[in-house]
Amino acid sequence: MTRPIVGISAYAEPARWGVWDTRAVLVPEAYVRMVRAAGARAVVLPPDEQDDAKELIGRLDALVLAGGADIEPGRYGADAHPATRTRPDRDAGELALLTAALEADRPVLGVCRGMELLAVAYGGSLIQHLPDVLGSERHQPAPGVYGTHPARFAPGSRAARVFGATAEVNSYHHQAVGSPGALTVTGWADDEVVEAVEDPAKRFVLGVQWHPEEAGDVRPFAALVAAV
C-alpha cells in the first residue's frame, strides 16, 4: 500500500546552517519523525497565501498544523496584547489550508498554535497572555524550556481514546483557547487551561495545546494517519 501523505505547516524564517545565512522554509524535525513513525510520508508546506489550497489539499491525505508564533488578534476581534508576536503569512496560508481540509473532511491535527488556529477558524477566541490570568508562567517557564503538568480528558472523547483519562504533558505557550467556538473542549490542565479540542462531527479534527512531537509521543499522529 502507498503510504498516506501528511502535510505539515511550516515557517519561512531567517536561518543559519553551514556557510548559509538566508531565509528558509522550516519546521522542527520532530514533526516529520512522528509522521514517519505513524506510517505516513511528511510533506512540509510553506506559508503561502495558498490560492490553490483546495488543489493542494486534494493531493494530501491529512494535515498537521504545527506550533509557532501567535495568531493575529484581529482574526478573532481583539486588539494585540504587548506580548503578542504574530506571523500573518502563516495565518493566511494555514487558514486557507484548514478551510479546504475541513470542506474535504481531511483528518486534521493541530499542535499548540495549531490548536489555537482551529479555535479561531471555528469562531472562537484566545487568551493572549496566560500569566495575566494565572499569575504565573508555568506553561512557558523560560525561553526554550517546556513546562510539565497533568491534563485530564473527557470520557468518551477522541482525546481520551488517544491519551487515556489523564496524561502528563509538556507545554510551551503563553496563549490559550478562551472560547472554542463550535469546537468541543475535551481536555483541561490542572489549572483549567484548555488542553484539547475536537470536532465530533468530522472524521478527525483534534487540537492539543502541548507538544507530543517533542515528547516522542506518536499516538496523536498515529490516530491522524489511522483516520485516513
Side-chain angles (χ1 to χ4, degrees):
M1 293 179 62
T2 303
R3 283 189 291 168
I5 299 175
V6 177
I8 306 173
S9 63
Y11 276 110
E13 293 284 320
R16 297 181 65 180
W17 70 99
V19 299
W20 307 110
D21 185 353
T22 187
R23 196 166 163 83
V25 172
L26 54 88
V27 66
E29 189 189 10
Y31 289 101
V32 176
R33 289 199 304 267
M34 290 300 98
V35 167
R36 186 184 301 131
R41 179 174 290 281
V43 176
V44 175
L45 307 175
D48 299 331
E49 286 288 345
Q50 299 298 349
D51 293 334
D52 60 346
K54 287 186 178 181
E55 179 184 354
L56 179 54
I57 288 296
R59 295 169 180 247
L60 300 176
D61 296 301
L63 176 66
V64 173
L65 298 170
D70 304 326
I71 297 159
E72 177 60 48
R75 290 190 177 272
Y76 50 93
D79 295 327
H81 186 281
T84 297
R85 300 290 182 268
T86 62
R87 293 293 190 280
D89 59 336
R90 282 194 67 179
D91 295 348
E94 290 176 13
L95 284 168
L97 286 173
L98 175 57
T99 298
L102 295 174
E103 289 176 353
D105 201 17
R106 292 288 191 274
V108 177
L109 173 64
V111 176
C112 198
R113 168 194 159 87
M115 183 182 99
E116 295 164 6
L117 193 77
L118 277 170
V120 171
Y122 273 78
S125 61
L126 305 180
I127 299 168
Q128 288 193 56
H129 196 53
L130 275 175
D132 292 347
V133 177
L134 300 179
S136 76
E137 298 181 349
R138 66 191 301 257
H139 291 270
Q140 192 182 67
V145 176
Y146 288 90
T148 58
H149 58 80
R152 69 186 192 279
F153 305 103
S157 66
R158 184 177 294 279
R161 293 196 295 273
V162 173
F163 301 107
T166 61
E168 190 78 8
V169 301
N170 59 333
S171 291
Y172 192 77
H173 61 100
H174 78 108
Q175 300 198 331
V177 171
S179 165
L183 290 169
T184 301
V185 176
T186 57
W188 303 264
D190 56 341
D191 55 13
E192 301 306 315
V193 168
V194 173
E195 290 291 331
V197 296
E198 54 194 79
D199 182 352
K202 293 291 187 182
R203 178 163 41 143
F204 186 101
V205 173
L206 175 65
V208 298
Q209 185 65 79
W210 71 97
H211 285 273
E213 79 288 352
E214 292 295 336
D217 186 354
V218 73
R219 291 177 295 175
F221 299 90
L224 175 81
V225 172
V228 172

